[in-house]
Amino acid sequence: MPGDRHAHGQMAQVDHQHGDHVDTPPFIKRGSVNVETYRLTACEPTQILNEGDVLDLGDRALEVLHLPGYSPVRIALYDPKTQELFSGDVIYDGELLDTLHCSHIPTYLATYDRLARLPVETVYPGHYRIFGKDDYWQIVDDYRRSRRSPSCPSEVGKPQNDRA
């Protein structure tokens, strides 16, 4: 959501409304956020990350995964060697905020279909606790099952669990 002041301001308000979802940032006093006056401090990016880019950290390489749904520009970082996923807001063990103005549930479902094919041992989310593969599969399966409409012809007969 770079550059989207309204979205960032709205998220700051959501963070305060869901007290267990995000700790209060140190620069915002509880209840003091106003969507209309909230401002971002801009900076120039040194590089634009795209799907498939690899961030070489020397002792490990992280692959950029474009995983939209929560918003159109969400990414996660994946280490295929250790099967660790740095998921940000894409997947975490808590209430998934998929009905925000910038969210799109059908796109989120496509992202979760993709996650269902990704071998993961550990998830380092942007919110809540770190979790392992059993919880990962459960969260992916639960979301896909809860958001699919069995009466929708394009969803009938579609496998809910793509794990090998």
Side-chain angles (χ1 to χ4, degrees):
M1 290 184 291
D4 187 342
R5 288 184 182 142
H6 182 76
H8 281 281
Q10 184 183 48
M11 285 311 302
Q13 284 186 334
V14 167
D15 290 348
H16 290 297
Q17 292 167 0
H18 296 278
D20 64 333
H21 190 74
V22 177
D23 290 335
T24 303
F27 61 93
I28 298 176
K29 293 180 182 176
R30 188 171 294 280
S32 68
V33 177
N34 179 327
V35 172
E36 302 306 318
T37 60
Y38 187 80
R39 297 291 178 255
L40 300 174
T41 302
C43 65
E44 288 297 318
T46 57
Q47 177 182 350
I48 302 297
L49 298 176
N50 294 298
E51 170 72 29
D53 285 351
V54 175
L55 302 177
D56 185 352
L57 303 178
D59 60 342
R60 79 184 318 172
L62 301 175
E63 181 181 343
V64 175
L65 305 177
H66 178 232
L67 299 173
Y70 176 85
S71 77
V73 295
R74 290 295 161 175
I75 66 164
L77 300 175
Y78 179 67
D79 184 337
K81 188 175 179 182
T82 61
Q83 297 183 340
E84 293 174 315
L85 180 67
F86 298 85
S87 67
D89 292 330
V90 174
I91 183 171
Y92 47 86
D93 189 14
E95 178 189 358
L96 191 63
L97 302 178
D98 64 354
T99 57
L100 301 172
H101 83 282
C102 56
S103 301
H104 187 251
I105 292 172
T107 302
Y108 228 142
L109 275 168
T111 284
Y112 269 64
D113 288 345
R114 182 176 180 196
L115 290 175
R117 296 185 300 273
L118 188 68
V120 171
E121 285 293 322
T122 308
V123 176
Y124 298 93
H127 306 284
Y128 300 104
R129 66 180 180 85
I130 297 167
F131 54 93
K133 68 179 174 181
D134 291 339
D135 289 333
Y136 172 79
W137 294 122
Q138 189 66 54
I139 293 166
V140 169
D141 289 345
D142 287 350
Y143 184 76
R144 294 167 76 212
R145 200 172 292 113
S146 74
R147 288 300 192 196
R148 291 230 193 280
S149 172
S151 63
C152 179
S154 67
E155 301 300 339
V156 174
K158 218 174 193 186
Q160 293 297 305
N161 186 331
D162 298 339
R163 283 181 264 158

